[in-house]
Amino acid sequence: MATEVKPKSNRILLIFGVFLAIVAFGGALLVGRTGGGTTSLGNGSKNVPAVVATKDIPASTQITADMVTVQQFSSDQAPPYAFRGKDLVVWQVCGDPDPSRPGDHRL
């Protein structure tokens, strides 16, 4: 007597594959919401202080404390070469910006 061989059902494998795809999609959304995985959940992005002018400062003017303030920027939006404290710029003399370099604000 020959025994009949039944083909194996792939239903379990298909259900597992769909479940795995849903988990991968959820993981991709989670990584996308947290800035590429650089910050952990609940912490937000790190704030960085930067000195900014409160009004236009003409060239060759000595900077006083009321001309500048410190603002907080997220680490990815902070100006890269900004001064981090008012004490670093107060009493400095404002220089002429270099027109060949956009965004150049030198002391």
Side-chain angles (χ1 to χ4, degrees), residues 25-95:
F25 181 71
L29 286 177
L30 183 63
V31 169
R33 289 186 90 175
T34 59
T38 58
T39 57
S40 60
L41 292 175
N43 289 346
S45 60
K46 181 180 175 188
N47 285 337
V48 177
V51 177
V52 295
T54 57
K55 57 184 176 181
D56 286 340
I57 303 173
S60 303
T61 302
Q62 191 171 27
I63 300 171
T64 59
D66 64 324
M67 294 178 173
V68 293
T69 187
V70 176
Q71 288 184 356
Q72 298 292 326
F73 291 88
S74 63
S75 58
D76 58 335
Q77 293 183 345
Y81 300 108
F83 291 99
R84 303 293 179 213
K86 282 176 86 170
D87 57 330
L88 298 172
V89 297
V90 172
W91 304 118
Q92 297 290 326
V93 176
C94 184

